[in-house]
Amino acid sequence: MTAKTLHIPTADGRADAFAAFPDGGERCPGVLMYADGFGIRPVLREMARELAGHGYYVLVPNVFYRNGPAPVIDLPEYIGDGARAKVFEQLMPLIEAHTVERVLSDADAYLGFLTAQPEVVAGPVAVTGYCIGGLLAVRTAAAHHGQVAAVAAFHGPVGADGPDSLSRLTGEVHFGHAETDLAPEALGELNRALDAASVSHTSEIYPGTRHGFTMSDTDAFDPAALQRHWDRLLPLLGRTLADG
């Protein structure tokens, strides 16, 4: 396994990013992975390595690069419930400043960089994201529907941009929702919008979960839900990406 820090040229500077991919010199499909709001840190690097070990080139950009390299804010080693309020007090201005225009401009740069890497095979890519990264994944896939074959988002506000955004998705979709994030009625509304747009999808609430259930450095972590996430994500990528 090769893992390294890279820098992605963008319209507003250079975004630092973490990349992981298999050793051996063979080209593999590309996956753009958006971190949760806490950003690139050991747990995200671990997840990127895990995914790369299944035969993918995984690129995790620091979406808040305009404010400095990751970690953009000081994070405790373990983000317990007692630390969340202070952390989010620092994060929310960054999230609010990350406009749709910035997201889409950066997505162009990230995908262009990813597909230009010599280790990445020609063809479609996948985008996955966690928490706010789930919304960024949806926005990226909607704007690059001819290039993105699959999008997966976990405990993210994926419907925040409304049905019009969902209708632009053409790849296969999986949304894994936290039980505390989405009521069954809201899930039904979201899934009806996906059905109306003829989007091939699975969209489900992971039972008993809290927002952030994939992240092992938080109080929300749920090991069974993390495994369920892999059980959904890996087959999705295998179906949609060449040589996956």
Side-chain angles (χ1 to χ4, degrees):
M1 178 69 57
T2 297
K4 57 185 178 181
T5 297
L6 301 170
H7 291 88
I8 304 171
T10 77
D12 292 330
R14 293 204 311 163
D16 52 304
F18 178 77
F21 50 92
D23 292 329
E26 293 186 5
R27 301 172 75 193
C28 52
V31 179
L32 177 62
M33 176 185 284
Y34 285 112
D36 61 356
F38 300 135
I40 301 172
R41 59 196 192 283
V43 67
L44 261 296
R45 295 186 183 95
E46 179 183 338
M47 292 175 75
R49 289 189 185 98
E50 172 73 18
L51 183 53
H54 292 274
Y56 301 98
Y57 185 110
V58 183
L59 181 68
V60 189
N62 169 23
V63 301
F64 300 132
Y65 68 89
R66 293 172 181 85
N67 301 94
V72 177
I73 66 170
D74 290 332
L75 290 172
E77 185 175 335
Y78 186 81
I79 309 168
D81 286 344
R84 279 180 176 268
K86 182 177 180 180
V87 170
F88 273 103
E89 183 179 350
Q90 299 174 77
L91 277 178
M92 286 311 297
L94 307 186
I95 293 172
E96 291 168 357
H98 200 53
T99 62
V100 174
E101 291 75 18
R102 283 186 174 184
V103 171
L104 298 183
S105 175
D106 288 348
D108 291 345
Y110 300 156
L111 289 177
F113 184 88
L114 174 63
T115 56
Q117 297 311 295
E119 299 88 359
V120 176
V121 69
V125 301
V127 185
T128 185
Y130 304 87
C131 182
I132 188 64
L135 178 57
L136 304 188
V138 170
R139 287 175 173 170
T140 298
H144 295 268
H145 46 78
Q147 187 176 14
V148 175
V151 57
F154 302 92
H155 48 82
V158 294
D161 291 340
D164 286 347
S165 175
L166 298 174
S167 70
R168 294 195 295 274
L169 298 173
T170 57
E172 188 174 344
V173 169
H174 175 72
F175 294 152
H177 311 282
E179 191 172 89
T180 57
D181 283 346
L182 202 67
E185 296 79 10
L187 175 67
E189 183 177 345
L190 173 65
N191 290 349
R192 284 190 293 274
L194 292 166
D195 287 336
S198 298
V199 175
S200 176
H201 70 278
T202 55
S203 174
E204 60 183 340
I205 293 172
Y206 288 21
T209 54
R210 296 169 54 195
H211 179 75
F213 59 77
T214 58
M215 299 296 152
S216 62
D217 61 352
T218 75
D219 280 345
F221 179 55
D222 184 322
L226 175 63
Q227 185 58 52
R228 186 185 187 113
H229 140 281
W230 289 121
D231 291 343
R232 300 294 191 268
L233 178 59
L234 293 173
L236 171 67
L237 301 184
R239 288 192 300 271
T240 56
L241 298 184
D243 302 321

